Amino acid sequence: MKRWGDLSQDTADHLSAGSVLDHAEMAVVVTDRFSNLLYWNPFAEKLFGRPGTQGIRDQSLSLGIMEKDHPLAVELAKHVLKGGVWEGTFDVRRGDGTMIYVRAQAVPLRHSSGAVTGIVITAREAMRSNEREKDRFGLLERIGERLAGSLYVEETLKRVAEMLVPQFADHCFIELMEGERLTRRVSTHVQGWSPPPNTWAPLGAEIRYPAGHYADIALRRQETILVEDFSQTNYPSPGEANTRLAAEIGMTSAIVAPLCVRGETLGLMYLGLSNLTDRRSPHYDAFDRDFVGAIATRVALAVDNALLFEEERHTAESFQKHLLPRALPQLDGLEIAVRYYPAAPLASHGQGIQTQVGGDWYDVIPLSAGRVGIVIGDVEGRGAKAAAIMGQLRAALRAFAQDDKPPAEILARLDEWTRIIATPEQDDSGTDVSIPPIVTCQYLVYDAWSRQLSFANAGHAPPLLLHDGICTELDIQEVGQPLGVRAKGLHADLVYKEETRTLPPGAVLLLYTDGLVDRRPGRADGKPPSDEETLGVLSEKLVEVSDAPVERIADVATVAVPGEIDDDMAILVVRAAPDDLEVEERTFPAQPIMVGEARRMAAEAFTGWNVPEERAELACLLVSEVVTNVVLHAASASIPRRELVVDASAAPFDESWDFPGFEDEIVNEKEFTLRLRRGGESVWVEVFDQDLRLPRIRSAGENDEGGRGLYLVDQLAKRWGSRPTKEGKAVWFEIPTKAR
């Protein structure tokens, strides 16, 4: 027994497209772009009373359209070939000479590539008595459908004008209120004609209708005004040039409808007829007035929705952009370019009007001694809420980064913060069910002098590495989980791991969020490309501009993947310096006599780097203070714990633990390292030692001999600080090479 829907071969053959059209009780006619007849089904032959002849040049002749309707048929054909849809009626003379009235709909015939290659016309006989009603209601329905998916004001107004001209009007003006001003936003006319300069007001111009003008009456009364015949009326003129042009083109009739919604007037819509076209009736009547009033109601609602959407979108975009860095810092050894783009609205995805601004962000954070923190992240979701979460996370990460902790530890702290900012919610029993936002993030620390890149990843896509004409993903062994999804009881140190790479000279890193590669279908077949295809296309485009400035690389990356942006997108491009930066480093024993040696080393380095004498002397003074502080604390520091291995039996507790050479070994291990770095506008000084205690500024008494070293550093250096290292700590400060 066959299932429902199973067809025999015989039945399937009878359901071919040609068979179905042969039995259709509706005329189907297909022409190419040049009006050559390509197809004519049997009902078309019956309706038009003549056999279909392939290759007939004139579509009007093949359909028997009366001569008086030929100009209209030509205009409408041009409209459809541009991608529009038309529905209307024609007087047709059949092959036997009889007259019938035919209602037809014309739609574009599209190739699989999307190009319009011809016109498909469906037609049936219509009754004259309901000709206009069907025309108008069909047009009203299509206008409603077109406006339903419109999210932008300009797009909304343009769609209305395209539907009304030339099918219902020769001229269409739409003007909107901007404060107290009425501004022209649409000026559309029959094809091949446009108003000469200095006649009718252009787009963007302020419109002022004189008191008593029919448009002024429509605005004041908030009602649709009909001017049935200009030859029978007399209204105040907006201007001499306006009146002269109206007379030249033979303006015959007009309707002006205010765009009102929620008791507020948003503007007005002006439709006019003239002698530029040959119509059955060159005048509007009361039925047309009511019809235009119905259109104006729909247009007003669509414009109001679009204005509200644009206001919400503008607010969210401003919010987002003010949360992102307004200006990037100037950094030694790095060129940086950034981009942020919100997604286009999902007008055709059935999700209604929604703001496509999201939680994507980037950041560049100056750290100690010229190092830099680089961030790229993406908060799940869209709209102002995602942007607000992004702002909190960016501020928190900036604060955490100032501690100069390893990237994995920074992400672990940010993961905890993600849970803290979760919106508090409770179920019916009062149990906390707050769900943290899901965030992908990558935090990198780059040292331009050593070219060392340290990073940790929280579920984010790896950056692209561009070097020597090759584009590959940066090798990341531990991707980690997104922030906010770590299971309870699992310590963050087990989730986020730090990795280190060395960037080649001149290498480029492209960090991005998924909006760059997740695009709406851009291929001819309408299918989204795979991840491999997308990355392949992006890599090819980047290789072509690998030697270009980073701003150019960012621009190319933005448009490399075809299709419309489906999610907001952040891009951060960094290029490592092609040449090594200047650095001097030396390790000294932690002895008082070495303070002078350290100062001498600094003075020689600053002289070799052509640092101004005043700046060099200041830097040398602070070198002495920091090194002295390190030496003094090294002398008072407790002996570091060491593993003691004794071959002999354990000594009694009360015996001496004085092993030969042990104290000397400990003392000899006390040392410090002085590192000097030359930047474009500053020098950085770092002093490393094995003491785990971080320095702090003390308040020295009037008679105290010490306690003022770090106070001097704090007052005289541009920036200073300390950070823990694997062996102990580092104290650093920055001195500008130009006088303040």
Side-chain angles (χ1 to χ4, degrees):
M1 179 178 180
K2 292 194 173 188
R3 295 173 300 172
W4 287 101
D6 285 350
L7 302 175
S8 65
Q9 186 60 45
D10 248 1
T11 306
D13 291 341
H14 284 296
L15 286 180
S16 65
S19 176
V20 172
L21 290 176
D22 285 347
H23 290 83
E25 291 293 316
M26 174 177 286
V28 179
V29 180
V30 181
T31 72
D32 63 13
R33 293 185 59 88
F34 305 102
S35 296
N36 294 315
L37 187 62
L38 302 179
Y39 176 80
W40 177 290
N41 76 338
F43 191 87
E45 180 177 341
K46 176 181 176 182
L47 177 66
F48 296 108
R50 65 186 72 215
T53 304
Q54 308 300 324
I56 291 181
R57 178 68 179 175
D58 189 345
Q59 174 183 306
S60 302
L61 178 62
S62 65
L63 297 180
I65 297 175
M66 297 291 288
E67 185 176 355
K68 66 183 183 66
D69 287 339
H70 284 189
L72 180 61
V74 171
E75 288 296 322
L76 295 175
K78 293 178 180 178
H79 178 70
V80 175
L81 289 174
K82 289 182 177 180
V85 177
W86 178 83
E87 185 175 351
T89 50
F90 290 106
D91 284 338
V92 172
R93 184 185 298 277
R94 304 178 66 188
D96 59 4
T98 59
M99 298 287 298
I100 63 169
Y101 198 69
V102 174
R103 181 169 182 79
Q105 183 183 59
V107 298
L109 175 66
R110 295 185 182 274
H111 187 265
S112 58
S113 65
V116 177
T117 59
I119 300 174
V120 178
I121 302 170
T122 57
R124 65 184 184 276
E125 187 174 1
M127 298 296 292
R128 289 181 180 273
S129 59
N130 63 356
E131 161 203 348
R132 188 167 56 172
E133 288 79 359
K134 288 188 176 182
D135 283 349
R136 299 299 184 260
F137 288 133
L139 178 59
L140 186 61
E141 181 181 357
R142 291 196 302 278
I143 289 176
E145 291 174 354
R146 295 290 298 274
L147 293 181
S150 181
L151 296 175
Y152 293 105
V153 173
E154 297 299 332
E155 179 186 9
T156 299
L157 302 182
K158 181 180 178 182
R159 287 184 177 185
V160 172
E162 288 177 349
M163 297 295 291
L164 295 174
V165 177
Q167 185 167 348
F168 186 75
D170 297 333
H171 312 277
C172 175
F173 300 108
I174 300 180
E175 292 140 9
L176 297 183
M177 299 297 299
E178 296 180 0
E180 298 297 324
R181 301 171 66 247
L182 186 64
T183 303
R184 180 155 292 173
R185 304 291 289 272
V186 167
S187 178
T188 302
H189 311 275
V190 289
Q191 187 174 6
W193 187 88
S194 58
N198 302 318
T199 53
W200 288 347
L203 294 178
E206 180 179 0
I207 306 300
R208 295 182 179 180
Y209 292 106
H213 189 274
Y214 51 93
D216 175 66
I217 296 173
L219 284 173
R220 285 189 292 104
R221 295 182 182 176
Q222 291 191 348
E223 65 180 53
T224 304
I225 301 298
L226 165 68
V227 182
E228 189 169 349
D229 190 345
F230 278 113
S231 65
Q232 304 296 323
T233 57
N234 185 23
Y235 288 100
S237 172
E240 183 180 346
N242 189 301
T243 303
R244 185 170 58 252
L245 180 61
E248 290 177 0
I249 63 175
M251 287 293 294
T252 57
S253 187
I255 299 176
V256 181
L259 304 178
C260 300
V261 65
R262 295 182 285 107
E264 179 182 356
T265 302
L266 302 180
L268 60 82
M269 180 172 64
Y270 181 111
L271 301 178
L273 296 175
S274 68
N275 291 331
L276 293 176
T277 57
D278 183 14
R279 299 177 183 271
R280 292 190 185 90
S281 173
H283 301 282
Y284 291 127
D285 58 19
F287 180 85
D288 296 321
R289 178 192 60 200
D290 296 340
F291 171 68
V292 172
I295 293 178
T297 300
R298 288 163 171 75
V299 172
L301 287 172
V303 169
D304 188 49
N305 286 336
L307 289 172
L308 291 174
F309 169 75
E310 290 190 1
E311 182 179 355
E312 178 190 354
R313 181 180 175 86
H314 176 72
T315 300
E317 284 184 8
S318 300
F319 184 36
Q320 169 98 9
K321 290 180 180 179
H322 280 78
L323 290 174
L324 293 172
R326 294 194 180 185
L328 297 176
Q330 295 295 320
L331 299 166
D332 291 300
L334 274 184
E335 297 177 35
I336 303 177
V338 295
R339 296 289 186 274
Y340 173 78
Y341 295 96
L346 299 178
S348 59
H349 290 231
Q351 300 187 31
I353 297 178
Q354 61 170 312
T355 303
Q356 293 300 88
V357 172
D360 290 14
W361 93 94
Y362 57 82
D363 208 350
V364 179
I365 309 170
L367 300 176
S368 61
R371 296 154 63 247
V372 58
I374 302 171
V375 187
I376 193 79
D378 185 0
V379 178
E380 184 183 50
R382 292 170 179 162
K385 180 179 179 181
I389 294 173
M390 176 275 292
Q392 296 181 72
L393 292 177
R394 175 176 174 257
L397 194 149
R398 268 190 162 259
F400 298 154
Q402 298 308 314
D403 291 341
D404 268 322
K405 296 292 180 65
E409 187 172 337
I410 297 295
L411 286 188
R413 296 182 66 182
L414 195 63
D415 178 69
E416 293 296 334
W417 185 252
T418 303
R419 300 169 187 277
I420 292 174
I421 64 175
T423 304
E425 296 181 9
Q426 293 182 339
D427 59 16
D428 296 338
S429 62
T431 305
D432 184 13
V433 292
S434 301
I435 301 177
I438 299 176
V439 183
T440 63
C441 180
Q442 187 163 44
Y443 179 58
L444 309 91
V445 175
Y446 181 64
D447 187 330
W449 282 263
S450 66
R451 299 188 184 279
Q452 189 176 77
L453 182 72
S454 302
F455 57 87
N457 194 308
H460 203 81
L464 296 179
L465 176 63
L466 189 61
H467 181 61
D468 282 344
I470 300 175
C471 184
T472 59
E473 288 187 336
L474 183 68
D475 180 28
I476 297 180
Q477 303 297 323
E478 299 287 344
V479 175
Q481 295 180 358
L483 306 176
V485 301
R486 175 170 53 89
K488 290 185 177 180
L490 184 62
H491 197 274
D493 292 344
L494 302 176
V495 180
Y496 307 114
K497 303 293 184 180
E498 181 177 352
E499 301 181 52
T500 302
R501 304 285 184 273
T502 299
L503 286 187
V508 174
L509 273 182
L510 174 72
L511 292 82
Y512 62 91
T513 58
D514 53 10
L516 175 63
V517 292
D518 292 343
R519 302 291 183 100
R520 299 182 195 170
R523 304 193 312 188
D525 58 9
K527 297 180 180 179
S530 65
D531 293 343
E532 292 76 13
E533 290 176 328
T534 298
L535 286 177
V537 170
L538 178 59
S539 298
E540 289 177 5
K541 297 295 184 181
L542 292 177
V543 167
E544 294 175 1
V545 293
S546 58
D547 297 328
V550 290
E551 293 288 342
R552 171 64 178 158
I553 294 176
D555 289 336
V556 170
T558 301
V559 298
V561 181
E564 194 174 12
I565 300 175
D566 201 32
D567 193 2
D568 59 326
M569 174 179 66
I571 298 176
L572 193 152
V573 183
V574 296
R575 168 178 275 136
D579 303 317
D580 292 335
L581 303 184
E582 295 177 299
V583 61
E584 295 286 345
E585 183 175 327
R586 181 179 168 187
T587 300
F588 301 89
Q591 300 172 2
I593 195 173
M594 292 295 106
V595 175
E597 289 296 320
R599 180 171 180 138
R600 185 177 299 108
M601 169 194 165
E604 292 174 355
F606 296 150
T607 300
W609 293 341
N610 296 320
V611 177
E613 183 178 355
E614 178 187 355
R615 301 278 92 193
E617 289 180 356
L618 175 59
C620 288
L621 170 64
L622 300 188
V623 167
S624 297
E625 294 296 336
V626 174
V627 170
T628 299
N629 191 65
V630 167
V631 170
L632 290 177
H633 284 82
S636 62
S638 59
I639 297 175
R641 291 182 295 176
R642 294 175 52 88
E643 182 181 0
L644 181 61
V645 180
V646 182
D647 293 335
S649 59
F653 181 78
D654 58 351
E655 291 187 16
S656 171
W657 282 75
D658 186 12
F659 293 92
F662 181 66
E663 289 188 3
D664 294 340
E665 184 182 359
I666 296 299
V667 171
N668 290 339
E669 285 189 353
K670 292 181 179 180
E671 56 189 18
F672 67 90
T673 299
L674 176 63
R675 179 189 293 166
L676 308 173
R677 294 180 165 191
R678 177 72 161 94
E681 297 183 354
S682 297
V683 292
W684 283 273
V685 176
E686 292 178 284
V687 180
F688 300 84
D689 69 345
Q690 293 80 36
D691 191 354
L692 297 176
R693 296 171 296 177
L694 298 180
R696 59 185 179 86
I697 299 176
R698 293 191 303 164
S699 298
E702 183 178 348
N703 298 320
D704 290 347
E705 295 183 1
R708 298 178 177 84
L710 289 181
Y711 177 78
L712 286 175
V713 175
D714 183 63
Q715 294 296 311
L716 299 177
K718 180 180 180 180
R719 292 193 307 154
W720 80 279
S722 61
R723 70 176 188 274
T725 63
K726 294 180 180 179
E727 296 79 18
K729 71 173 183 297
V731 181
W732 61 274
F733 62 84
E734 176 186 356
I735 297 293
T737 53
K738 298 180 181 179
R740 283 189 277 184

